[in-house]
Amino acid sequence: AQIGLQYPAVELAAALGLTAIAGLPLDVPGRIWLGGLFLLALLIFVYDLRYLIIPDVFVAVTLLWLVIGLLVLGLPGWTGRLLTGLGLFIFFAALYFLSRGRWIGGGDGKLAFLMGLWLGWPMGVLAVFLSFILGAAIGVGMIGLGRATLKSQIPFGPFMITGAMLAYGWGERIVGLYAALF
């Protein structure tokens, strides 16, 4: 049987992501934790892209991985991380309830909480901001190309994960550039 393009694309993304993580200036436990987090994010990315849903079991496993890693690695700023996650969750919950689920899915709020817990302040907020910019650019492009309409469902999880990865990798530079403007 013919193998779909999704399978080699996901394997290539996993290989490239884990290779990039291996090159980071982290100790071995930090690399293992970040690698696991990346693979869980890739799972959520692909699943939401394909099925338009983020299963609760994916959120639960990722939350467990995050908490264990934050405790074992002794990463600072628990209060700020937790408050950022809760703030982002409340923001997405408000969007969900105001739109009755038409603007954003329920899983997106849970994913926003995970992003805030991982990245903390201000990177968690930057990740959400970047995800909205990416989502708008791709959505407008799809509408312009006739591949979507204003009523089309477009999964937001992949944009959120991309925004989180960008904020993790280049967030301090982005914030610095923004601050330099003012």
Side-chain angles (χ1 to χ4, degrees):
Q2 191 174 24
I3 296 174
L5 181 62
Q6 171 191 335
Y7 298 100
V10 170
E11 290 181 20
L12 179 63
L16 292 174
L18 292 174
T19 300
I21 290 168
L24 292 176
L26 300 171
D27 58 6
V28 173
R31 285 187 190 130
I32 291 170
W33 178 70
L34 193 58
L37 188 59
F38 172 75
L39 292 175
L40 288 165
L42 183 61
L43 173 67
I44 293 169
F45 182 106
V46 172
Y47 200 90
D48 192 27
L49 189 63
R50 186 167 178 115
Y51 300 108
L52 300 173
I53 191 167
I54 300 171
D56 287 341
V57 67
F58 294 177
V59 173
V61 170
T62 305
L63 177 61
L64 182 63
W65 186 259
L66 266 170
V67 169
I68 289 171
L70 291 171
L71 288 172
V72 169
L73 298 173
L75 296 178
W78 267 92
T79 303
R81 290 172 187 272
L82 189 58
L83 289 174
T84 302
L86 288 172
L88 293 175
F89 175 80
I90 290 168
F91 172 71
F92 275 84
L95 290 176
Y96 179 82
F97 286 112
L98 286 172
S99 71
R100 296 186 178 116
R102 289 188 308 265
W103 299 340
I104 206 91
D108 297 327
K110 298 169 196 170
L111 183 55
F113 174 76
L114 296 175
M115 289 167 47
L117 188 61
W118 174 39
L119 298 169
W121 174 266
M123 295 307 148
V125 174
L126 175 63
V128 169
F129 178 73
L130 292 172
S131 65
F132 275 105
I133 292 198
L134 291 168
I138 298 295
V140 167
M142 289 176 68
I143 291 169
L145 294 172
R147 300 199 48 139
T149 68
L150 289 175
K151 294 187 182 218
S152 297
Q153 286 186 322
I154 298 173
F156 195 56
F159 299 113
M160 294 176 71
I161 289 173
T162 302
M165 296 298 169
L166 289 171
Y168 178 78
W170 293 285
E172 293 197 19
R173 289 182 215 140
I174 294 169
V175 170
L177 288 171
Y178 179 77
L181 293 175
F182 300 99

